[in-house]
Amino acid sequence: MEDERSFSDICGGRLALQRRYYSPSCREFCLSCPRLSLRSLTAVTCTVWLAAYGLFTLCENSMILSAAIFITLLGLLGYLHFVKIDQETLLIIDSLGIQMTSSYASGKESTTFIEMGKVKDVVINEAIYMKVIYYLCILLKDPMEPHGISQVVPVFQSAKPRLDCLIEVYRSCQEILAHQKATSASP
Amino acid sequence: MVENSPSPLPEREVYGFPPRRPVLFLSSQFGFILYLVWAFIPESWPNSLGLTYWPQKYWAVALSLYFLITIVIGYLLLFGINIMSSSPLNSIHTITDNYAKNQQQKKYQEEAIPALRDIPISAVNQMFFLATK
């Protein structure tokens, strides 16, 4: 079962949340970030090239112009490969673990998997990030203390959805975690 | 005066009189008057009196300008320091700290106000987001 809704992120951009319910114990949430807009790309390119042309009129060295073209191309490729995230996915499998996938604009994908034995809870936390934002994070258990938290792993870091989207994801995750706790508590 | 009490009265508030710390008040007033005298009186008058060792007049403008710029930068710097000292999103300090970890649990008594303590974030989230609206 699959369904898609649109939300907005903390800056006002549009996000699309796709929920797939594979089974009662396995769910996937896929957040698509807005694509690289043509407007910002042309704005950055124009400023860099105008600045290079200004330097060229000062120095009369034509290497500056070719260097500017080179820098723009390399910068764009580097940005698409290392910075610009297209889609973030959270896959929860009851009794197995939680997997987070980020896929970049150049096609690169990076995946992180946390096994269910380490997961204490999935919560919505508030923190200061230029302003106060809500973000979803996974709390990991502390092996020493039964009720302690050893680490906080934030998810959807580049998409940064707002609270309404987070509440949807939170409720679905809590259903699975409650189911998992019930089955793990009973012998 | 209608009343002789030292409490703030409307007519007294405007002048801040009597001053709470007379030493600081008097010394700052004296320093200000001295600064104005030094900045405006031409060199010849104090020289004829015998007071010859003053700093250059350039500093009369420069110091006040430095002071003004320092205040403006102070605002920006304070904002920057605040932002820099807030914990990153993946830090454990956004969830708990040493005081919350070591707090003692008091026994619940009927009809008494419960003791003040830190509620774990899982319980807070369940109350906010899972309770049916």
Side-chain angles (χ1 to χ4, degrees), chain B:
Chain B
M1 293 290 182
V2 177
E3 301 164 20
N4 282 331
S5 67
S7 61
L9 290 176
E11 57 267 359
R12 277 193 194 164
E13 268 309 316
V14 179
Y15 297 105
F17 187 81
R20 301 266 171 240
R21 303 271 168 88
V23 174
L24 193 60
F25 175 72
L26 286 176
S27 59
S28 71
Q29 292 289 332
F30 176 68
F32 185 55
I33 303 288
L34 186 65
Y35 170 76
L36 286 180
V37 163
W38 163 56
F40 285 109
I41 305 293
E43 277 286 331
S44 51
W45 297 8
N47 277 352
S48 63
L49 286 177
L51 304 164
T52 52
Y53 196 63
W54 295 111
Q56 277 186 332
K57 291 291 173 116
Y58 159 80
W59 290 106
V61 179
L63 277 179
S64 54
L65 202 59
Y66 276 142
F67 187 55
L68 202 65
I69 299 291
T70 306
I71 291 182
V72 171
I73 289 188
Y75 275 114
L76 298 173
L77 204 67
L78 191 66
F79 178 71
I81 288 179
N82 275 335
I83 293 284
M84 274 186 58
S85 64
S86 45
S87 354
L89 292 189
N90 62 350
S91 132
I92 192 73
H93 294 289
T94 54
I95 304 264
T96 183
D97 65 354
N98 281 335
Y99 297 103
K101 279 184 199 160
N102 297 334
Q103 66 185 348
Q104 288 130 1
Q105 312 273 349
K106 284 202 176 148
K107 269 183 40 180
Y108 177 70
Q109 292 166 334
E110 289 291 332
E111 295 183 0
I113 299 176
L116 192 68
R117 65 183 182 90
D118 186 43
I119 305 180
I121 186 167
S122 310
V124 173
N125 266 7
Q126 277 163 5
M127 189 180 67
F128 276 147
F129 305 121
L130 279 186
T132 52
K133 296 192 180 176

Side-chain angles (χ1 to χ4, degrees), chain A residues 120-130 133-135 137 139 145 149-154 157 160 163 167 170-171 174, chain B residues 79 82-83 86-96 101-102 120-133:
Chain A
K120 181 163 191 280
D121 203 0
V122 172
V123 300
I124 297 181
N125 193 14
E126 304 169 49
I128 296 180
Y129 180 82
M130 294 303 166
I133 61 166
Y134 291 97
Y135 64 104
C137 56
L139 305 177
E145 272 176 80
I149 298 169
S150 74
Q151 214 185 335
V152 172
V153 180
Q157 279 295 86
K160 293 199 176 64
L163 189 61
I167 291 181
Y170 173 75
R171 286 205 180 129
Q174 284 295 321
Chain B
F79 178 71
N82 275 335
I83 293 284
S86 45
S87 354
L89 292 189
N90 62 350
S91 132
I92 192 73
H93 294 289
T94 54
I95 304 264
T96 183
K101 279 184 199 160
N102 297 334
I121 186 167
S122 310
V124 173
N125 266 7
Q126 277 163 5
M127 189 180 67
F128 276 147
F129 305 121
L130 279 186
T132 52
K133 296 192 180 176

Side-chain angles (χ1 to χ4, degrees), chain A residues 12-154:
Chain A
R14 283 207 41 219
L15 296 173
L17 174 72
Q18 231 183 1
R19 285 183 293 193
R20 298 194 193 107
Y21 290 178
Y22 294 118
S23 84
S25 57
C26 175
R27 287 184 194 170
E28 187 174 30
F29 307 98
C30 190
L31 262 181
S32 317
C33 309
R35 294 186 178 265
L36 181 64
S37 73
L38 193 60
R39 188 183 301 178
S40 62
L41 182 62
T42 47
V44 171
T45 311
C46 283
T47 43
V48 171
W49 286 359
L50 279 176
Y53 188 70
L55 275 179
F56 168 70
T57 50
L58 280 175
C59 309
E60 300 296 333
N61 188 2
S62 65
M63 281 293 291
I64 293 181
L65 296 177
S66 27
I69 295 177
F70 201 52
I71 288 175
T72 315
L73 276 177
L74 276 186
L76 180 65
L77 286 177
Y79 176 72
L80 290 180
H81 192 69
F82 293 112
V83 175
K84 178 88 184 78
I85 292 188
D86 247 353
Q87 231 185 32
E88 283 185 307
T89 313
L90 184 74
L91 172 68
I92 292 196
I93 305 178
D94 179 15
S95 82
L96 195 60
I98 302 182
Q99 172 169 292
M100 285 116 43
T101 313
S102 313
S103 56
Y104 291 81
S106 63
K108 173 173 103 164
E109 285 195 4
S110 89
T111 316
T112 314
F113 178 75
I114 304 175
E115 55 177 348
M116 206 41 111
K118 287 194 195 154
V119 168
K120 181 163 191 280
D121 203 0
V122 172
V123 300
I124 297 181
N125 193 14
E126 304 169 49
I128 296 180
Y129 180 82
M130 294 303 166
K131 52 178 181 171
V132 178
I133 61 166
Y134 291 97
Y135 64 104
L136 193 71
C137 56
I138 304 177
L139 305 177
L140 302 185
K141 283 184 192 162
D142 195 0
M144 313 309 167
E145 272 176 80
H147 291 291
I149 298 169
S150 74
Q151 214 185 335
V152 172
V153 180

